[in-house]
Amino acid sequence: MGQEESHELLADDAPSSTLQSRDLKGLAKYILDGHAKKIAVMTGAGISTSAGIPDFRSPETGLYANLARLNLPYAEAVFDISYFRRNPEPFYTLAQELYPGKYRPTIAHSFIRLLHDKGLLLRHFTQNIDCLDREAGVPGSKIVEAHGSFARQGCIDCHAPFSADEMRKHVTEKEVPHCAECGGLVKPGIVFFGEALPSEFFERLSEPSQADLFIVMGTSLTVQPFATLPGMANEHTPRALLNIERVGDFGSRPDDVLLLGDCDEGVCRIAKACGWLDELVEVWKSCGGELNANHPALKHGYIAEKREDVVSNGISEDKDQAVADEVDKLTKDVEKSLQLSERHDKEAREAIGDSDRKKDLETDKKDQEGLKHVFPHVVKDGKKNSSL
């Protein structure tokens, strides 16, 4: 279910069915009374934006807008499996900057870890490929990466697995790895154009109906089939939306709770209401989290024991410029890799340059709505969707 206008919103004073009230207080009471023992969490790009991961789809300033000026068939070709087979260098240039380890988990990722630590997490379904939930300490067995991730890697021909240490070495050195078994190209387990979603996603589709609480964070709910998950929760199962704006059919059920705003802000509000805020911050700090004076944890009552626990605001204030600089650097790096592989690029462009192939690519691109299945920074009506 994507963002559909046909869903009729309930009035603010409409009675709830399961919760005592359709608000934060009612949600917290439901959890603290022990009714939420199997919590399903669903996340999109919005959960990772405060980590500083570059935006991919903003017009003019996003990474794809910058890549569009380079010698690529189209900007997203770096994630097209057909193009990758002929010229993998541009992808591995990007991979060096996006590979796990450069960015730290947000406090929203740590909230999922806290649910697991309390024995409450049924499953975490995510669109994201950044592995920040894993870095926060959420076990891989609890995660369904609907669009793949950097957590696994293998040969695109014989599918033999590839060593994570060897992959990190190749990515760091911007070298394209090849399979020791057949000599084929190796890539991370990210879902590219032309590839199917992981089988585990479809195998776990029944789990939302088993949840007694369904939490959705930082997603526009426009990318199928991922967007169908909230609708699979039972009619009287409470659902909480932590997002910049209302999406999907949220607000149409008697036990929907809408906590609109930033994801980090939303999890701090829930943690404060449940008496978990100090625990949440400690979990976040244990995986590298740093408080600044504007962090929502401080706003909602966390008291730092030491003055040095609160870092300077400089990084936070300059984040937009830092992200813009990162996008510019990535674009230049990809351009350099293209210049170094002109022969491969020429072969790739010739291979996909005939009219039939171009038509197929344009159709695929339209059908899949760009690269939303990998980086769901959605653009609508020429503007960046605010539901990230």
Side-chain angles (χ1 to χ4, degrees):
M1 294 181 181
Q3 216 172 152
E4 301 171 12
E5 301 299 328
S6 58
H7 298 296
E8 192 171 329
L9 294 181
L10 296 179
D12 291 339
D13 59 354
S16 57
S17 173
T18 303
L19 298 176
Q20 187 177 73
S21 57
R22 296 168 57 223
D23 54 17
L24 178 61
K25 183 177 179 180
L27 178 65
K29 179 174 174 54
Y30 179 78
I31 294 172
L32 293 174
D33 285 349
H35 299 304
K37 297 179 180 179
K38 295 185 292 183
I39 302 176
V41 179
M42 173 182 176
T43 62
I47 195 177
S48 297
T49 52
S50 65
I53 293 178
D55 177 80
F56 277 68
R57 291 204 158 274
S58 292
E60 299 181 7
T61 60
L63 181 59
Y64 288 146
N66 283 271
L67 291 178
R69 66 179 173 78
L70 303 183
N71 193 26
L72 290 164
Y74 59 94
E76 296 94 331
V78 288
F79 290 99
D80 181 278
I81 191 64
S82 297
Y83 185 81
F84 178 82
R85 285 182 177 277
R86 296 168 176 83
N87 189 7
E89 283 85 359
F91 168 77
Y92 275 102
T93 299
L94 286 181
Q96 185 189 48
E97 298 299 324
L98 301 174
Y99 205 74
K102 180 170 184 176
Y103 302 99
R104 307 308 305 159
T106 67
I107 201 166
H109 291 101
S110 293
F111 179 74
I112 304 170
R113 154 78 182 280
L114 184 61
L115 292 179
H116 168 70
D117 288 350
K118 291 182 175 294
L120 303 177
L121 182 65
L122 172 65
R123 198 73 58 198
H124 175 216
F125 295 89
T126 183
Q127 288 174 288
N128 301 336
I129 67 167
D130 52 39
C131 295
L132 291 183
D133 45 4
R134 292 173 181 264
E135 293 202 26
V138 182
S141 61
K142 288 288 185 177
I143 303 170
V144 175
E145 292 157 330
H147 301 145
S149 77
F150 283 99
R152 301 178 185 86
Q153 48 279 319
C155 176
I156 64 174
D157 292 322
C158 74
H159 308 295
F162 193 78
S163 162
D165 291 340
E166 282 297 310
M167 174 61 82
R168 183 176 294 276
K169 177 182 176 182
H170 279 80
V171 168
T172 300
E173 297 174 359
K174 295 184 183 179
E175 294 180 351
V176 178
H178 288 81
C179 176
E181 300 294 327
C182 72
L185 289 168
V186 171
K187 78 170 185 65
I190 300 167
V191 178
F192 275 25
F193 285 125
E195 295 185 308
L197 296 186
S199 60
E200 185 182 15
F201 173 75
F202 299 100
E203 293 166 359
R204 299 286 186 182
L205 282 180
S206 65
E207 291 193 342
S209 65
Q210 302 170 23
D212 44 31
L213 174 61
F214 198 98
I215 299 175
V216 175
M217 295 193 282
T219 172
S220 59
L221 289 183
T222 57
V223 182
Q224 300 292 355
F226 192 73
T228 63
L229 294 177
M232 294 179 178
N234 291 329
E235 184 65 27
H236 298 294
T237 295
R239 304 185 305 174
L241 175 68
L242 284 63
N243 208 52
I244 295 297
E245 64 182 8
R246 187 188 73 82
V247 293
D249 68 344
F250 272 90
S252 66
R253 293 188 181 188
D255 294 291
D256 283 349
V257 176
L258 276 62
L259 302 177
L260 301 185
D262 178 79
C263 291
D264 289 350
E265 174 89 16
V267 299
C268 286
R269 291 178 65 191
I270 294 176
K272 172 70 179 299
C274 291
W276 300 346
L277 186 59
D278 286 358
E279 289 180 80
L280 175 60
V281 174
E282 292 307 311
V283 168
W284 180 54
K285 287 167 62 178
S286 73
C287 57
E290 291 185 331
L291 290 166
N292 62 51
N294 295 322
H295 196 276
L298 295 174
K299 174 182 175 182
H300 289 286
Y302 177 79
I303 300 175
E305 294 182 2
K306 301 177 182 178
R307 188 179 187 86
E308 51 266 34
D309 283 346
V310 181
V311 301
S312 167
N313 281 338
I315 295 176
S316 176
E317 291 170 351
D318 295 335
K319 188 171 75 172
D320 287 346
Q321 183 58 49
V323 171
D325 291 344
E326 181 74 1
V327 168
D328 185 59
K329 178 181 181 298
L330 285 170
T331 304
K332 289 178 179 177
D333 287 347
V334 172
E335 184 173 30
K336 182 178 179 181
S337 74
L338 285 168
Q339 291 171 348
L340 293 174
S341 60
E342 288 181 358
R343 180 175 62 83
H344 296 292
D345 186 60
K346 181 180 179 181
E347 292 174 355
R349 290 175 65 82
E350 288 175 351
I352 64 175
D354 61 271
S355 59
D356 289 341
R357 177 57 177 154
K358 285 183 177 179
K359 183 177 180 180
D360 289 342
L361 286 174
E362 290 170 0
T363 301
D364 289 345
K365 186 178 177 184
K366 181 178 180 181
D367 289 345
Q368 298 184 51
E369 298 181 19
L371 202 61
K372 294 177 187 174
H373 72 298
V374 175
F375 292 102
H377 295 272
V378 180
V379 175
K380 186 176 182 181
D381 297 329
K383 298 180 180 179
K384 181 180 177 182
N385 194 309
S386 60
S387 62
L388 298 181

